[in-house]
Amino acid sequence: MMVKVAVIHHGNYGYTKTIAEYIALGAKEIAITVELYQSSEIEKNLSALDDANAIIFGSPTYFGSVSAEFKSFMDSTSQLWLKQKWKDKVAAAFTCANSPSGDQMSTLMQLFIFASQHSMIWAGSDLMPKMQEYNEGLEVYNKLGSWVGFGLAVRGDQGERIELEEVDIKAAKHFGKRIAKVAKKFK
C-alpha cells in the first residue's frame, strides 16, 4: 500500500530541519515517498501536497507560537481550507525550544487547531515517559511528556553544527514511523 508523507518545516537555526530529517527517516521505514519541504518553498506550490496521505508540520516555538514564517505558510492555505482539500489526511506536528517547556504545548495546540480546521485526522505521540517497563524493547522514550505532538528541548549554543542526543534522534525517527503507520491505516 503506497503511503506518501510530507514534512513541512521552518527554523532559523537548523534545529527544526535536523529534527524534520530524522522524522522523515523514520517515516521512510513505512512510506513509499517522504518529501521534506521548507515552509516558505511549499507555500508557493501547495499543490505538491495534494497526493500526501500525511502532513507533518514543524516549527520552532518562538514566544509561545509558531514562527512568523511558518504562520505565513499556514495563512497561505486558506483556499485549500475553503475547498477542504486536506480533509481526512493525517496530520501531526513537532516543535522545539531552548528549554524543556518553552511553551511548546501552545505551539503544538496551534498546529492541532490549524489541522482540525482543515478537517485533518490528528495523530500524536505514542511514547511513554522514561519508565522502561512501558517502553520495553524500544530503547526510546517521551523525554518531555508531550502526547499532542513531538516536542524537544535543544541547546541554543551549538553554533553551526546541530547535534541531537541519541535518544532524541530515536524518538524523532519513532515519531515519523508512527505517523506513516497511522496514514497507512487510514489510506
Side-chain angles (χ1 to χ4, degrees):
M1 191 177 303
M2 294 177 37
V3 175
K4 296 179 181 179
V5 176
V7 182
I8 303 167
H9 62 90
H10 171 264
N12 289 322
Y13 304 105
Y15 291 104
T16 48
K17 180 180 181 192
T18 299
I19 296 166
E21 289 168 347
Y22 285 118
I23 287 172
L25 282 175
K28 284 180 183 175
E29 292 181 36
I30 304 296
I32 191 80
T33 305
V34 179
E35 298 289 339
L36 279 166
Y37 300 103
Q38 287 276 351
S39 60
S40 60
E41 293 171 2
I42 197 65
E43 185 176 332
K44 297 170 189 156
N45 184 21
L46 292 171
S47 64
L49 301 171
D50 288 351
D51 294 337
N53 302 100
I55 303 174
I56 302 171
F57 306 108
S59 172
T61 295
Y62 292 162
F63 299 100
S65 181
V66 296
S67 66
E69 290 86 348
F70 201 87
K71 181 64 167 88
S72 176
F73 155 73
M74 292 167 64
D75 291 345
S76 75
T77 68
S78 63
Q79 290 301 309
L80 299 175
W81 170 77
L82 283 170
K83 298 174 184 171
Q84 291 291 282
K85 295 284 267 180
W86 290 353
K87 183 177 182 175
D88 296 335
K89 289 182 186 289
V90 171
F94 67 96
T95 190
C96 60
N98 281 332
S99 63
S101 170
D103 296 321
Q104 293 181 46
M105 186 55 65
S106 61
T107 300
L108 292 173
M109 291 306 297
Q110 183 180 16
L111 292 166
F112 167 76
I113 291 167
F114 169 70
S116 294
Q117 289 175 337
H118 276 282
S119 300
M120 299 175 83
I121 300 165
W122 190 261
S125 177
D126 66 340
L127 286 174
M128 294 296 287
K130 189 176 182 178
M131 297 180 276
Q132 287 308 100
E133 64 269 22
Y134 298 112
N135 296 303
E136 198 141 328
L138 292 177
E139 298 177 12
V140 65
Y141 56 92
N142 188 340
K143 199 173 185 181
L144 298 183
S146 173
W147 284 267
V148 173
F150 182 64
L152 193 57
V154 296
R155 287 187 22 221
D157 60 351
Q158 292 189 44
E160 292 294 315
R161 186 176 171 158
I162 306 302
E163 294 183 22
L164 301 179
E165 294 179 24
E166 189 61 31
V167 69
D168 296 330
I169 292 169
K170 288 179 181 179
K173 288 179 180 178
H174 180 89
F175 186 71
K177 185 175 180 179
R178 170 178 162 65
I179 303 312
K181 281 182 182 178
V182 172
K184 189 174 183 179
K185 284 183 180 182
F186 279 94
K187 185 169 179 354

